Amino acid sequence: MPSSRTRLIAGNWKMNNDVPAAKELAEALVEKVPAGNGVEVVICPPTIDLACTSHKIADSAIKLGAQNVYWEEKGAYTGETSCSMLKSVNAEYCIIGHSERRDYFKETDADENKKAKALIAAGITPIFCCGESLETREAGEHVAFVTAQIRAGLEGVAVESADQLVIAYEPIWAIGTGKTATAADAQEVCGAIRATLVEIFGEELASGIRVLYGGSAKPENIAGFLAEEDVDGALVGGASLKADDFAAMVEKAGE
Ligand code: PGA
């Protein structure tokens, strides 16, 4: 990994932790996650926990991300959360395009595209997720599938500096299953993602955009992924719910 890209470890809490539990985990993370080791750290709690988590991490180096957003500014969209609402709790990142949202909530590439545009316009960095199913991988179509998701999701998205966008490659078959991709599997797709970013945004910008791996990433396997040229960090689900594990991953990313 060229030294110009700061490693990023992002925790995706998914639908876990009510407000008291979120406060407790945030406090433990502030205490345990190493600061000043050159790794950027983001936690993405459920929407209901954003405000209290923001408060708990305010004096730490840990940054806040959301798990979802709606692209309209305000109005009659029951149950949704706008970019300005995320900004009001100091969220700097927002996960979009996660396979769980694509699968369970039927979000499309066009939806992710609108979310990416709204977030970037609001000054929030999308963590744009992509990844193939087991069936697609077994058919040998994973690279074509993932790069098509990137092209469709980022069509017409105006990125002016590399810190305005993060990509997370998460093979669906490795999410929450305990099955991880090999480091070489991750590099194959992350390298193809970078090549696609070069086509879309040009060499200079694309070489600075962070591409993360996600899918059963944990303290025991993170170093292998990070050793790959185009893997700049991890989007961590299960292991981000345990302060000790998450802190250990940040520590390893700083080595
Ligand atoms: P996992 O989830 O680490 O529990 O596999 C990763 C993710 O879905 O972001």
Side-chain angles (χ1 to χ4, degrees):
M1 186 190 84
S3 56
S4 60
R5 293 197 295 269
T6 301
R7 282 182 174 164
L8 172 61
I9 304 295
N12 175 9
W13 292 8
K14 306 194 181 183
M15 197 173 75
N16 294 292
N17 294 324
D18 57 15
V19 167
K23 287 181 180 169
E24 203 177 307
L25 179 54
E27 271 173 22
L29 290 169
V30 167
E31 189 191 309
K32 293 178 175 178
V33 168
N37 71 343
V39 178
E40 190 176 358
V41 181
V42 177
I43 52 175
C44 304
T47 309
I48 190 101
D49 297 328
L50 284 170
C52 72
T53 305
S54 180
H55 185 69
K56 289 285 178 193
I57 63 176
D59 296 325
S60 79
I62 301 173
K63 296 178 180 174
L64 188 67
Q67 295 177 19
N68 193 18
V69 69
Y70 193 56
W71 53 81
E72 294 290 348
E73 276 172 34
K74 63 176 177 176
Y77 304 102
T78 302
E80 295 299 321
T81 307
S82 70
C83 293
S84 65
M85 290 169 182
L86 298 185
K87 290 284 277 187
S88 73
V89 292
N90 300 319
E92 296 177 59
Y93 288 86
C94 181
I95 296 169
I96 58 172
H98 194 282
S99 59
E100 288 151 16
R101 296 219 55 91
R102 293 180 191 259
D103 287 354
Y104 305 150
F105 304 101
K106 307 296 169 221
E107 290 188 9
T108 63
D109 288 332
D111 294 331
E112 310 317 339
N113 185 256
K114 287 186 223 168
K115 291 182 184 198
K117 286 177 178 162
L119 286 167
I120 289 175
I124 299 172
T125 300
I127 300 177
F128 182 97
C129 301
C130 53
E132 81 286 354
S133 65
L134 190 56
E135 203 186 349
T136 301
R137 174 160 283 264
E138 285 174 346
E141 288 162 6
H142 49 290
V143 169
F145 181 86
V146 170
T147 53
Q149 280 184 321
I150 296 280
R151 279 182 218 285
L154 298 180
E155 196 186 344
V157 172
V159 177
E160 274 149 27
S161 70
D163 57 3
Q164 287 179 299
L165 179 66
V166 171
I167 307 290
Y169 167 57
E170 300 201 308
I172 297 169
W173 46 273
I175 295 178
T177 58
K179 259 192 214 170
T180 38
T182 64
D185 290 337
Q187 172 56 30
E188 180 195 22
V189 181
C190 292
I193 289 170
R194 182 146 348 258
T196 306
L197 295 174
V198 170
E199 284 172 33
I200 302 172
F201 300 116
E203 177 74 43
E204 202 185 324
L205 199 57
S207 66
I209 294 174
R210 271 89 56 90
V211 181
L212 314 181
Y213 168 77
S216 301
K218 45 185 186 270
E220 298 75 34
N221 62 23
I222 190 164
F225 292 110
L226 293 176
E228 297 294 335
E229 189 183 340
D230 288 297
V231 180
D232 306 315
L235 181 56
V236 186
S240 75
L241 299 171
K242 295 181 206 124
D244 287 325
D245 284 356
F246 193 66
M249 295 175 85
V250 175
E251 196 168 320
K252 288 211 162 34
E255 283 169 2

